[in-house]
Amino acid sequence: MQNIGQQIEGKKFLLVLDDVWTENRRNWDNLKHTLMCGSLESRVLVTTRKENAANVIGTTNKISLGILSEDECWSLFSQLALFETTTNEFEEIGRKIVKKCKGLPLAVKTLGSLLRFKREFKEWENVLESEIWELEEVEQEVFRPLLLSYYDLSPTLKKCFSYCAMFSKDYEIEREQLIKLWMAQGYLKSKDSKKDIELVGEEYFKSLAMRSFFQDFEKEESNIDVFSCKMHDIVHDFAQFLTQNECYTIEVDGRGEIELESSHDKVRHLMIKIQGGASFPSSIYTKNTFLRSLVVDCNYGTDPKIVLSKLIDQFTCLRSLSLRQCSIEEIPVEIKKLIHLRYLDLSWNKNIKELPETLCGLYNLQTLDIRYCENIKKLPQGIGNLINLRHLLNWRTDSISYMPKSLERLTGLRTLGRFVISEGNYGSEECPVECLKNFKHLREFGIKGLGNLRDVAEVKRIELNNKKNLRELYVDFEGRMNEEQNQQLLEELQPHPNLEM
């Protein structure tokens, strides 16, 4: 350090720190102290794959590199791959190969360098038609820099990243769903016992995003947080390369039955993507009893004809089951067999009329998602037995007219989409509004039918002002009260200052 100081003292310099990984501020402070003896016009340029590294250094101007356009990709590829006698035929197939690179310069460079010495048209055709990563040279060249980023992750972050190999290519991954799926597999760990594991999941997601493992971020207009993201095809291939078929996707269309290969019997996390008028593959009912995750992805209006009782019998080790928008009409009583289940998504199944009481025997359940199940008349009376439930997602379940009494035991809820205050009198069956004062961990909370309270003073018993963890609040004043009383209700609510939405 002393020698560097002597060399640059009073001089104007440009220092380039390429591919910085360290997040140790002390290392940077030591170097910065040495650099202070140079001219004030000096500049330091840093390149890094880690946003935290840039933050530690305190960069004044960040430039995030995106993907290349198709024309830029072709320009790079043609410089590397085309030769003097290249014909239009080679150029045409070359442009198709470039499209497979999806704007990633490293992939373009690797494939261009590979094809530079392949002068037979058939060789180029093989590259186009194959799964690119079956080519050993490409796998080694492109995956090597990704491995550097992967090895820099903690063991738990590695699991979270690899888990994403289950989703199909170009799948829109919802951030909240992904965090809850990680949670269901037990991937979210914290040394601080007081810290919610959901917040750990948020940190994990941001950490992977900062390392460019995710892209194409989407936000909702009303929310500052990321709603969804995607994985670049090459990053997805890399994740599958790491998991060695432990995470797998099956795509089913109307062309006929498919069967999971015997070599994939070790699959633990499975997505089945059903397109067009296809049905759920019946061969799945006889396969892999050790599945931990099953996500069924259907197009809107598709009826995959899932025999849920057979599915339950086969996959009793499931921790996550997502049957969103699968045209399911009835939840069988056999659901109680899924004793390890921690995540259950039944959302957008608009024909479900009730949930069986046996569902309340799933003591490990952390997330129950019944959003947009518009015809569910009531929640099971024994819902309070779900002692580990953290998220009850019940938005747009407008046919539910009251909350069962046992709900008052679920004081560990972080999400209670809608607490319904009834306009009728359900007596001892109904959960009283004053029980809400004990729900101190809520982060998202909604009240429907506030105008059905007998007295404006009752709203004080909710004690919103004591819910310091609450970030999102939805209030519906529907009910018997008039406009003046509703105004009084609004004044009495008074949430905690930490409320964001």
Side-chain angles (χ1 to χ4, degrees):
M1 289 291 186
Q2 188 176 356
N3 289 339
I4 294 174
Q6 291 172 351
Q7 292 293 325
I8 65 171
E9 188 172 0
K11 295 178 181 176
K12 178 179 175 181
F13 65 85
L14 170 66
L15 174 62
V16 179
L17 302 175
D18 187 34
D19 204 14
V20 174
W21 288 79
T22 181
E23 297 177 20
N24 188 323
R25 184 177 294 275
R26 187 181 301 169
N27 290 346
W28 167 244
D29 287 343
N30 289 339
L31 176 60
K32 184 168 69 171
H33 180 74
T34 302
L35 300 177
M36 294 300 285
C37 61
S39 165
L40 291 176
E41 296 175 312
S42 301
R43 296 291 181 268
V44 179
L45 175 65
V46 178
T47 71
T48 179
R49 304 176 203 191
K50 299 172 68 175
E51 192 172 330
N52 272 356
N55 292 337
V56 164
I57 291 172
T59 51
T60 55
N61 184 23
K62 292 181 194 172
I63 301 173
S64 298
L65 298 183
I67 60 174
L68 296 180
S69 70
E70 198 168 312
D71 286 342
E72 289 167 332
C73 283
W74 174 248
S75 175
L76 176 58
F77 178 84
S78 57
Q79 291 176 47
L80 294 168
L82 301 187
F83 36 89
E84 291 180 7
T85 57
T86 298
T87 63
N88 290 338
E89 192 178 35
F90 273 93
E91 183 173 333
E92 185 179 340
I93 197 169
R95 287 187 178 276
K96 291 178 181 177
I97 290 170
V98 164
K99 281 187 177 181
K100 277 199 167 191
C101 297
K102 297 289 182 74
L104 194 69
L106 187 61
V108 176
K109 182 181 176 183
T110 304
L111 282 174
S113 300
L114 172 68
L115 291 170
R116 184 184 190 93
F117 303 104
K118 296 187 184 294
R119 303 298 177 96
E120 299 293 330
F121 182 78
K122 184 64 180 175
E123 292 176 306
W124 284 49
E125 200 170 44
N126 288 340
V127 170
L128 178 65
E129 292 175 356
S130 74
E131 279 293 325
I132 289 183
W133 311 121
E134 290 176 8
L135 301 169
E136 190 174 337
E137 303 98 317
V138 179
E139 182 181 285
Q140 289 175 353
E141 287 298 318
V142 177
F143 286 174
R144 188 178 293 127
L146 289 173
L147 276 168
L148 285 174
S149 294
Y150 175 76
Y151 287 140
D152 188 56
L153 302 176
S154 66
T156 47
L157 261 178
K158 286 175 182 174
K159 289 180 182 178
C160 290
F161 168 68
S162 300
Y163 185 82
C164 297
M166 171 182 68
F167 301 107
S168 57
K169 282 189 178 180
D170 209 38
Y171 183 78
E172 187 174 325
I173 304 171
E174 292 181 15
R175 177 182 59 94
E176 287 289 340
Q177 181 195 30
L178 180 61
I179 290 170
K180 290 178 176 68
L181 287 169
W182 285 340
M183 184 170 71
Q185 300 303 319
Y187 294 159
L188 306 183
K189 309 287 186 185
S190 175
K191 294 177 181 177
D192 182 358
S193 59
K194 295 180 181 179
K195 189 173 188 177
D196 273 0
I197 52 177
E198 290 84 356
L199 296 179
V200 176
E202 296 280 357
E203 291 171 4
Y204 284 8
F205 182 88
K206 288 175 183 175
S207 185
L208 291 174
M210 285 192 297
R211 287 170 167 83
S212 300
F213 285 123
F214 297 138
Q215 63 176 37
D216 295 345
F217 300 102
E218 295 288 342
K219 293 184 179 181
E220 292 180 315
E221 287 183 14
S222 60
N223 203 326
I224 60 172
D225 291 323
V226 170
F227 173 72
S228 66
C229 65
K230 292 183 179 180
M231 295 177 77
H232 192 287
D233 282 4
I234 291 169
V235 176
H236 184 272
D237 286 328
F238 174 64
Q240 287 197 321
F241 165 77
L242 292 171
T243 60
Q244 299 294 320
N245 291 325
E246 185 176 318
C247 300
Y248 195 65
T249 302
I250 295 175
E251 297 194 16
V252 190
D253 55 27
R255 288 179 289 186
E257 179 66 80
I258 63 98
E259 187 166 343
L260 192 62
E261 299 172 25
S262 58
S263 61
H264 296 146
D265 282 346
K266 293 182 179 179
V267 171
R268 291 294 175 266
H269 311 289
L270 175 66
M271 166 176 267
I272 302 177
K273 191 171 184 178
I274 298 177
Q275 299 170 314
S279 296
F280 189 82
S282 59
S283 59
I284 296 296
Y285 298 127
T286 61
K287 291 285 183 183
N288 198 324
T289 56
F290 301 107
L291 208 62
R292 298 295 190 271
S293 305
L294 177 60
V295 176
V296 183
D297 178 49
C298 295
N299 290 335
Y300 185 76
T302 300
D303 180 5
K305 298 177 175 60
I306 298 174
V307 184
L308 200 46
S309 57
K310 280 188 180 181
L311 206 63
I312 291 167
D313 284 340
Q314 188 65 21
F315 300 119
T316 54
C317 293
L318 278 175
R319 290 189 170 196
S320 305
L321 177 60
S322 177
L323 300 169
R324 180 182 299 186
Q325 207 170 279
C326 287
S327 299
I328 289 169
E329 297 183 2
E330 185 179 359
I331 307 300
V333 294
E334 290 86 356
I335 191 79
K336 65 182 180 182
K337 294 180 182 179
L338 301 180
I339 57 173
H340 302 289
L341 202 63
R342 297 181 181 181
Y343 176 92
L344 178 59
D345 183 355
L346 300 171
S347 61
W348 291 91
N349 288 291
K350 298 184 179 183
N351 293 323
I352 297 177
K353 292 184 173 58
E354 65 176 334
L355 300 174
E357 286 292 333
T358 53
L359 185 142
C360 303
L362 303 178
Y363 304 116
N364 291 304
L365 200 64
Q366 297 169 333
T367 301
L368 176 59
D369 190 347
I370 54 172
R371 290 172 295 170
Y372 291 90
C373 292
E374 297 171 351
N375 287 302
I376 290 181
K377 304 298 181 189
K378 61 179 182 177
L379 295 174
Q381 286 297 325
I383 195 168
N385 293 329
L386 300 176
I387 54 175
N388 287 301
L389 198 66
R390 300 170 73 90
H391 303 281
L392 177 55
L393 311 179
N394 64 326
W395 299 278
R396 295 298 180 96
T397 52
D398 297 335
S399 54
I400 293 176
S401 54
Y402 75 100
M403 308 309 284
K405 178 80 166 68
S406 67
L407 185 81
E408 64 186 0
R409 299 206 294 268
L410 301 183
T411 55
L413 283 176
R414 270 60 177 176
T415 307
L416 176 52
R418 295 291 181 269
F419 183 92
V420 181
I421 301 172
S422 74
E423 54 183 299
N425 182 13
Y426 293 91
S428 61
E429 290 186 5
E430 185 174 3
C431 185
V433 71
E434 55 262 29
C435 81
L436 290 173
K437 69 181 180 182
N438 298 319
F439 286 60
K440 296 178 181 178
H441 300 286
L442 286 172
R443 293 183 62 81
E444 294 181 43
F445 175 47
I447 316 172
K448 183 186 174 192
L450 204 62
N452 286 323
L453 290 173
R454 293 184 299 274
D455 190 311
V456 170
E458 280 190 274
V459 78
K460 285 186 176 180
R461 298 177 188 172
I462 299 172
E463 296 187 7
L464 270 183
N465 58 328
N466 288 334
K467 300 190 191 309
K468 62 181 180 180
N469 297 310
L470 194 62
R471 296 295 179 268
E472 296 184 27
L473 174 65
Y474 169 92
V475 183
D476 173 0
F477 291 92
E478 180 184 302
R480 296 182 292 262
M481 291 188 179
N482 57 38
E483 190 173 339
E484 182 182 347
Q485 289 172 311
N486 280 340
Q487 183 62 37
Q488 290 175 324
L489 283 173
L490 184 58
E491 291 170 2
E492 295 290 352
L493 278 172
Q494 192 184 346
H496 193 278
N498 289 346
L499 191 72
E500 294 173 0
M501 288 178 61

